[in-house]
Amino acid sequence: MAQNENLAALSAAGVSVWLDDLSRDRINSGNLAELIATRSVVGVTTNPTIFQGALSQGHAYDAQVKDLAAQGADADAAIRTITTDDVRSACDVLAGVYEASRGVDGRVSIEVDPRFAFDADKTVAQAIDLWKTVDRPNLFIKIPATEAGLPAITSVIGEGISVNVTLIFSVARYRSVMGAYLDGLRRAKAGGHDLAKIHSVASFFVSRVDTEIDKRLEAIGTEAALALRGKAGVANARLAYAEYQDVFDGGAHTSTYQHLAAMGGNRQRPLWASTGVKNPDYSDTLYVTELVAPNTVNTLPEKTLEAVADHGEIRGDTISGTADEARQVFDALAEVGIDLDDVFALLEREGVEKFEKSWEELLTATTAELGAASGGN
């Protein structure tokens, strides 16, 4: 089977194509393996919303739920078993990619319980537990970039565990995330871990920024405000990439990383998340084609993946050298009255709340299924 030309071009431009979805049906049917073979997919991301959707559809989990019910498992234990089984299986499907890329790709992410987003100690404990339970070197543990998440990131990296930092919205928080990662590498080195085996990505959410800012621009309603719709998300990600270059790619603050790189430390790559376009007035490949640069990851919902495969125009690097233009967009947003700090704080709160809601829905549904499987006893 041949790779799709558009997605192969995206990969050749330095973007790792990851699928933002996982289910047992996708694994067992061979669909995930097919996407690796034909769509340049080299990684998978999950979150509570994705797992909630997977478990609520079809019958792929019925037999396991029945077995778990017979064992007396509660909803939390059942979800932990089911999700870690899926992630372990996906890690095995991607093992060849992991080996071929020397650990850079072939990754599968699983998120800590979102109810722990503001509790560093519980986040660290569960991250370590998930790492041991899945027991695969190509696992990523997802930790949200809340204030409480930052020390947790350092601690988990310090244990030699690879981390996908999620729910990043602002460049300021992204700087703190990179600092937490580098601090974690120092701690890992002091603890005797092999830095070459530790990898990390920083997941910068894109479309949600446009959704919130566009709503505020439309409320302002002036010609200047309306002209800025659909520009904030890409500008924000491009500014994030400039910060990445500053720390990891020869910028003014690269010396700290170079010291760790000499001991085997890997760069923490930016990952573009939330790349499904929500506004039908915008190109459905906007958050892919406008965010192409070396050493990045784009995690795509299947609908967006197929849109890129069908008509995405990959024009090479569309990020490097765009920071000044992106800053002008942010200056213009401030001038028309957009409070960017408020936007980013709101998006972080809503991001955690959405995952918590999905988790609670998952618990409720699983409790019901366990009850039905055990005959209501």
Side-chain angles (χ1 to χ4, degrees):
M1 290 184 284
Q3 294 287 2
N4 173 268
E5 290 185 5
N6 294 341
L7 290 162
L10 182 63
S11 178
V15 181
S16 291
V17 178
W18 290 7
L19 177 70
D20 192 26
D21 189 57
L22 184 64
S23 68
R24 190 158 298 176
D25 278 337
R26 192 182 289 281
I27 296 167
N28 291 345
S29 68
N31 174 260
L32 178 57
E34 182 180 349
L35 292 176
I36 294 168
T38 66
R39 293 293 187 264
S40 297
V41 168
V42 293
V44 170
T45 50
T46 66
N47 59 47
T49 302
I50 287 171
F51 276 128
Q52 194 275 335
L55 268 69
S56 66
Q57 298 173 6
H59 301 283
Y61 300 94
D62 289 357
Q64 186 172 23
V65 169
K66 186 175 182 180
D67 288 344
L68 289 165
Q71 297 167 24
D74 62 13
D76 277 297
I79 290 168
R80 181 179 179 278
T81 298
I82 291 167
T83 57
T84 54
D85 281 358
D86 276 5
V87 167
R88 186 183 304 108
S89 296
C91 283
D92 291 343
V93 174
L94 282 152
V97 175
Y98 172 76
E99 292 167 4
S101 66
R102 298 184 179 182
V104 174
D105 286 311
R107 297 280 177 170
V108 184
S109 298
I110 188 170
E111 189 148 355
V112 295
D113 188 326
R115 295 171 297 180
F116 302 159
F118 302 104
D119 189 321
D121 291 340
K122 287 183 178 179
T123 293
V124 172
Q126 192 180 62
I128 293 171
D129 181 60
L130 287 170
W131 181 259
K132 292 178 179 178
T133 300
V134 175
D135 192 26
R136 293 295 185 271
N138 50 333
L139 179 68
F140 265 142
I141 304 296
K142 291 180 80 173
I143 298 175
T146 59
E147 287 285 354
L150 295 173
I153 293 159
T154 296
S155 295
V156 174
I157 291 289
E159 293 290 332
I161 296 171
S162 294
V163 172
N164 176 344
V165 184
T166 189
L167 286 177
I168 306 172
F169 294 98
S170 74
V171 173
R173 181 57 56 83
Y174 179 45
R175 291 192 199 101
S176 299
V177 166
M178 290 187 287
Y181 170 65
L182 295 174
D183 288 344
L185 288 184
R186 293 188 193 94
R187 189 176 298 184
K189 183 64 178 177
H193 294 284
D194 182 357
L195 298 191
K197 293 182 179 179
I198 303 171
H199 286 260
S200 182
V201 292
S203 296
F204 214 86
F205 280 51
V206 186
S207 68
R208 294 188 194 182
V209 173
D210 272 339
T211 299
E212 178 61 29
I213 289 180
D214 282 2
K215 181 173 66 176
R216 299 186 185 204
L217 290 170
E218 288 164 3
I220 294 168
T222 64
E223 184 177 344
L226 297 177
L228 291 167
R229 287 177 297 181
K231 295 184 177 180
V234 168
N236 198 36
R238 287 173 170 175
L239 288 173
Y241 190 76
E243 292 296 323
Y244 158 79
Q245 290 180 307
D246 186 49
V247 172
F248 293 103
D249 208 18
H253 294 91
T254 305
S255 58
T256 299
Y257 166 64
Q258 287 175 334
H259 175 69
L260 292 163
M263 296 183 286
N266 297 294
R267 60 182 66 211
Q268 182 188 53
R269 294 184 295 166
L271 180 152
W272 313 129
S274 183
T275 56
V277 177
K278 297 175 176 62
N279 189 329
D281 293 334
Y282 303 156
S283 165
D284 57 1
T285 63
L286 172 67
Y287 303 125
V288 180
T289 58
E290 297 305 315
L291 294 176
V292 177
N295 297 308
T296 59
V297 180
N298 197 310
T299 179
L300 292 76
E302 188 169 23
K303 183 178 179 181
T304 306
L305 182 78
E306 291 304 322
V308 175
D310 181 65
H311 53 265
E313 297 181 11
I314 309 304
R315 310 184 308 277
D317 189 338
T318 53
I319 298 181
S320 298
T322 63
D324 286 344
E325 180 183 347
R327 290 188 191 97
Q328 290 172 13
V329 170
F330 268 42
D331 289 344
L333 289 167
E335 286 175 10
V336 300
I338 299 297
D339 184 341
L340 292 164
D341 289 339
D342 181 70
V343 168
F344 296 138
L346 173 68
L347 289 172
E348 181 180 293
R349 288 196 305 273
E350 287 184 345
V352 173
E353 288 168 1
K354 287 175 181 176
F355 283 168
E356 285 181 338
K357 181 181 179 182
S358 294
W359 198 262
E360 293 296 343
E361 290 173 351
L362 183 56
L363 284 167
T364 300
T366 304
T367 299
E369 291 182 23
L370 288 167
S374 60
N377 298 322

